[in-house]
Amino acid sequence: GETQRSTEQRVVALLEILSEALLTEGRVELRGFGAFAVKNRPARVGRNPRTGETIMKVAAEGVQRKFPDIPVW
């Protein structure tokens, strides 16, 4: 069987490959698991929930996951 360390190394390697592909291609699809895409979020006005103070949130990029139509499990 796999050791926890070797499993961790494989997961880290997979995440590195996905990250590199997202940076170069902008989208990665894993059949039966879903698709990942880089999503641009524009700057916007936000609110601090604790104080109610209005703040300006800067533009950012994030990863969006789209789930497959068919359940994986």
Side-chain angles (χ1 to χ4, degrees):
E2 291 281 322
T3 65
Q4 182 175 352
R5 182 157 175 83
S6 66
T7 301
E8 179 182 351
Q9 290 172 341
R10 290 175 191 260
V11 169
V12 168
L14 175 64
L15 292 175
E16 287 176 1
I17 293 167
L18 285 173
S19 296
E20 289 175 20
L22 281 169
L23 287 172
T24 58
E25 302 294 324
R27 185 172 192 281
V28 175
E29 183 177 338
L30 301 173
R31 301 263 180 204
F33 186 71
F36 299 86
V38 176
K39 178 86 170 171
N40 292 320
R41 291 181 290 206
R44 62 186 174 89
V45 176
R47 187 168 307 277
N48 181 330
R50 192 170 281 176
T51 65
E53 176 187 9
T54 300
I55 57 173
M56 188 65 186
K57 299 188 97 177
V58 297
E61 287 184 340
V63 176
Q64 179 182 30
R65 178 173 175 215
K66 182 177 185 227
F67 294 91
D69 295 332
I70 306 168
V72 178
W73 290 261

